[in-house]
C-alpha cells in the first residue's frame, strides 16, 4: 500500500508574483482556459500535450482526477490583467526523496516570449526548493520540441539525457524524452539567473 503524501504535497498553493498569479485549477477555469487556447494553434503541434479548445472540459476533469489520486498538483496561470493565460503542474511527486517534475505547461500565444514563463518557473521552483525542500526538480520534453528544450536550458537546468521511446506523443507516435534537472545545490544560482531575466523583461516592457 502506497504511503500517503505529506499534507504540503497534497495541496496546490496559490503563488503570486508581480506579473503572474498561479492558482489551483478548478472547473471554474474551463472557459478561461478555452479562451487562452485561442483556437487550436497550440494543439496543432503534434509533439506537444496541449488540449484542443473543444476538449478543455474533459482536460480539466482528467487533471482533477489525477490530482485526487495524488499524482499531480495543477495550476492555471493568470497574467497581470487577471486573464487566464495558461496552465502548468507539478507531477512525478516523490516526497520521500524529495523530488518532483514541472511540466504540461502551455501559454496563450500573446504571452509567449514575455516574462510570464520566467516568473511562473521562478514561483514554482521557489516553492519546490524552499517550501517542499526538494533536492531535485525535473523537466521533460519531446526530442522534437526544440523551443521547449531551449527554454528549459535557459532556466539554468542541465540536460541529464534522452530516454528513447519513453512515452507516446498524443498522435500515438513513440516519443524520445529529453530530461533536464535542477538540483538543490544549483538552486541559488538558478534563482539569481531567473531574477535577472525577469528584470530584463521588465526593462524591455513598454
Amino acid at each position: 500500500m502506497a504511503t500517503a503524501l505529506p499534507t504540503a504535497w497534497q495541496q496546490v498553493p496559490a503563488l503570486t508574483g508581480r506579473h503572474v498569479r498561479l492558482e489551483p485549477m478548478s472547473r471554474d477555469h474551463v472557459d478561461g482556459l478555452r479562451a487562452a487556447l485561442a483556437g487550436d494553434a497550440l494543439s496543432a503541434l503534434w509533439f506537444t500535450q496541449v488540449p484542443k479548445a473543444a476538449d478543455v472540459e474533459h482536460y480539466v476533469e482528467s487533471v482533477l482526477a489525477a490530482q485526487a489520486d495524488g499524482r499531480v498538483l495543477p495550476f492555471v496561470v493568470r497574467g497581470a490583467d487577471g486573464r487566464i493565460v495558461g496552465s502548468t503542474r507539478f507531477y512525478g511527486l516523490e516526497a520521500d526523496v524529495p523530488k518532483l517534475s514541472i511540466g504540461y505547461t502551455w501559454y496563450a500565444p500573446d504571452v509567449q516570449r514575455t516574462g510570464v514563463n520566467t516568473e511562473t518557473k521562478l514561483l514554482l521552483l521557489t516553492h519546490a526548493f524552499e517550501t517542499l525542500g526538494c533536492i531535485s526538480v525535473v523537466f521533460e520534453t519531446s526530442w522534437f520540441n526544440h523551443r521547449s528544450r531551449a527554454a528549459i536550458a535557459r532556466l539554468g537546468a542541465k540536460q541529464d539525457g534522452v530516454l528513447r521511446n519513453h512515452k507516446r506523443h498524443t498522435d500515438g507516435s513513440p516519443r524520445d524524452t529529453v530530461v533536464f534537472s535542477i538540483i538543490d545545490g544549483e538552486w541559488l544560482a538558478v534563482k539569481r539567473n531567473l531574477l535577472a531575466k525577469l528584470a530584463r523583461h521588465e526593462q524591455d516592457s513598454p
Side-chain angles (χ1 to χ4, degrees), residues 11-17 20-24 74-76 123 127:
Q11 300 173 340
V12 185
L15 304 173
T16 303
V20 299
R21 173 177 168 81
L22 278 60
E23 56 190 52
F75 301 84
V76 295
L123 292 170
H127 185 77

Side-chain angles (χ1 to χ4, degrees), residues 125 137-140 148-160 179-183 186 189-190 193-194:
L125 288 165
V137 173
V138 175
F139 299 86
E140 299 178 336
S148 176
R149 290 168 60 182
I152 294 169
R154 285 196 299 270
L155 295 175
K158 293 181 172 61
Q159 183 173 318
D160 295 323
V179 182
F180 297 79
S181 67
I182 299 169
I183 60 174
E186 300 165 344
V190 169
N193 175 55
L194 291 174

Side-chain angles (χ1 to χ4, degrees), residues 74-168:
F75 301 84
V76 295
V77 182
R78 291 191 184 274
D81 60 0
R83 178 173 57 98
I84 292 176
V85 295
S87 177
T88 190
R89 73 186 75 162
F90 289 141
Y91 68 101
L93 309 174
E94 298 184 47
D96 56 332
V97 176
K99 63 178 288 192
L100 53 74
S101 298
I102 295 173
Y104 297 89
T105 304
W106 58 267
Y107 301 107
D110 66 312
V111 300
Q112 294 179 16
R113 298 188 180 279
T114 68
V116 166
N117 184 55
T118 300
E119 190 167 47
T120 295
K121 292 301 192 296
L122 175 61
L123 292 170
L124 292 171
L125 288 165
T126 299
H127 185 77
F129 284 113
E130 299 181 13
T131 299
L132 299 181
C134 287
I135 62 171
S136 177
V137 173
V138 175
F139 299 86
E140 299 178 336
T141 192
S142 169
W143 173 266
F144 291 101
N145 198 339
H146 300 292
R147 177 178 289 185
S148 176
R149 290 168 60 182
I152 294 169
R154 285 196 299 270
L155 295 175
K158 293 181 172 61
Q159 183 173 318
D160 295 323
V162 180
L163 301 178
R164 307 291 300 279
N165 281 3
H166 177 230
K167 296 180 179 179
R168 289 191 180 272

